[in-house]
Amino acid sequence: KEYIGEAQHFTTDNKEALESFRIKFLSKKGILNDLFAVFKTVPNDQKKEFGQTINLLKNTVEEKVKTILESLESKDVQGLYGDLTRPGYPFEIGARHPISLVKNEVISIFSNIGFNVSEGPEIEDDWHNFEALNFPEYHPARDMQDTFFVQTNPEHLLRTHTSSVQVRYMENNKPPLRTISPGRVFRNEAISSRSHCIFHQVEGLYIDKDVSFADLKQTLLYFTKEMFGKSKIRLRPSYFPFTEPSAEVDIYWGLKTETDYRITKGTGWLEIMGCGMVDPNVLTNCGIDPNEYNGFAFGMGIERMAMLLYQISDIRMFYENDVRFLEQFKSNF
Ligand code: PHE
C-alpha cells in the first residue's frame, strides 16, 4: 500500500528518472515481480485482498509511466513547433494574371467540344509564319503584319500570329484535326492604350471531311455564348491569305439586363476575331489532300477579350505588373 502511495505521488520532467521508476517497479527484478512471488506464499484467506492490492499497484505504475511519457513527448513537440493551438499567421495569396484567366477559360470551352491544345516556338521561320499560310514573297498582305525580324537569310522572325503553330500541327498530324493554339505573338506596332507590340492569341483549327461554313458559324456561336453569355454575333466578309472565304466576327454587347451579358458597359458591335475556311493551298503546303479534307480556322486576341470582360481601359496595364492591378483578380481562378 505504501508503494501505491509512492507511485501515485511520483512525478518528473526527466526521461531518465521516469525510466528508473519504470525499472524499479516493472522490470524482471522489479518490485512487482517480487510481490507476485510473495503472493504464492500468502495464506488462502488473504489471497484475494493481496492480489487486488498488487493489481492496483501495477495499474497505478503503468498509468503513471504512460501519462508522464505522453506529456514529455508533447513537450518535445512544443519545443520544436511552439504552441500548436496558437492561430496561424495570415499570409497573402497571389492572383492569376487576367491573361491566364481568359486563356484558361477559352481552352476549357473548346476542350468541351473536343479541341486539344497545341503550342509552338515564338521565334519562327518564314515558312511557318508566312509562306505555308499562302503569303507568297513580296505579297502585300505581309505588310498587314508588321514583323520583327531576328535574322535575315535564312529569315527568322518573332511570330506575328499563332497560325504558325497550326501549320506545324498539320505537318505533324493526320486529319481529322481539332486543335487550339494559345500563345504570345509580336507585331511592330506603336504602343498605345489600344495596341501593344506583344500580345496573346488563341487560334483554332478544324480539319475533317465535308466541313461547312455553317459548322464554323455554329462553333463560334457556341463559343461566344459560353464566353460572353447570351450574345449576338455577326460575320462580316474580310480577307486573310490563308482562308477563303474569310470573315471578321463582331459581337453585340451591352444590352438589356446585366445578367444576360458579361459585358455591361457601352453598346454596339465590336470585332473580336477573324475566321474562315482554310485555303486549299494551305492544306497542300502542309501535306493534307484538299480533295479529301477541308476545314475552318479562327483567331482571337486574348487581351481584347480580357479588356471587355473586366472593363480594362488600357492594354498596357497587362504588362506593367502593378500589384494594385493584379490584386483585383484574386477571387478569380
Ligand atoms: N491569323 C489571323 C491574325 O492573326 C487571325 C485568323 C486566324 C484569321 C485564322 C482567320 C483564320 O490576324
Side-chain angles (χ1 to χ4, degrees), residues 126-269:
D126 185 78
W127 171 257
H128 291 97
N129 197 80
F130 287 127
E131 193 77 32
L133 288 161
N134 214 22
F135 288 84
E137 218 182 339
Y138 307 120
H139 191 284
R142 288 193 181 208
D143 291 343
M144 281 163 58
Q145 322 236 342
D146 318 81
T147 311
F148 285 118
F149 290 94
V150 175
Q151 174 193 306
T152 49
N153 205 14
E155 258 164 18
H156 281 130
L157 45 93
L158 298 179
R159 66 180 179 197
T160 59
H161 49 192
T162 55
S163 305
S164 55
V165 181
Q166 306 184 331
V167 172
R168 289 178 180 275
Y169 196 79
M170 284 188 275
E171 286 173 340
N172 295 312
N173 294 277
K174 293 217 153 10
L177 308 175
R178 263 181 270 183
T179 189
I180 54 170
S181 318
R184 195 154 59 149
V185 301
F186 308 84
R187 291 188 197 173
N188 189 3
E189 279 178 31
I191 297 172
S192 71
S193 64
R194 296 265 113 207
S195 66
H196 208 285
C197 59
I198 301 175
F199 59 101
H200 297 75
Q201 283 189 326
V202 182
E203 296 219 351
L205 176 73
Y206 185 109
I207 306 286
D208 206 334
K209 292 181 173 160
D210 302 321
V211 180
S212 73
F213 201 90
D215 296 328
L216 166 60
K217 189 170 179 191
Q218 196 56 37
T219 306
L220 298 178
L221 207 52
Y222 157 77
F223 168 72
T224 47
K225 285 213 160 111
E226 292 288 312
M227 192 76 194
F228 299 103
K230 279 188 217 160
S231 49
K232 251 193 340 189
I233 59 170
R234 110 184 144 181
L235 298 179
R236 260 183 307 107
S238 184
Y239 172 78
F240 300 101
F242 35 89
T243 48
E244 184 60 34
S246 306
E248 239 134 359
V249 184
D250 296 341
I251 184 166
Y252 196 74
W253 53 296
L255 278 171
K256 292 179 220 154
T257 65
E258 295 214 343
T259 45
D260 275 1
Y261 295 88
R262 278 180 70 185
I263 314 164
T264 52
K265 240 174 119 188
T267 52
W269 290 103

Side-chain angles (χ1 to χ4, degrees), residues 1 6 42 73 93 118-119 121 143 204 213 215 241 295 320:
K1 281 187 182 150
E6 180 185 337
V42 168
E73 274 167 2
I93 29 174
S118 48
E119 288 183 327
D143 291 343
F213 201 90
D215 296 328
E320 282 164 356

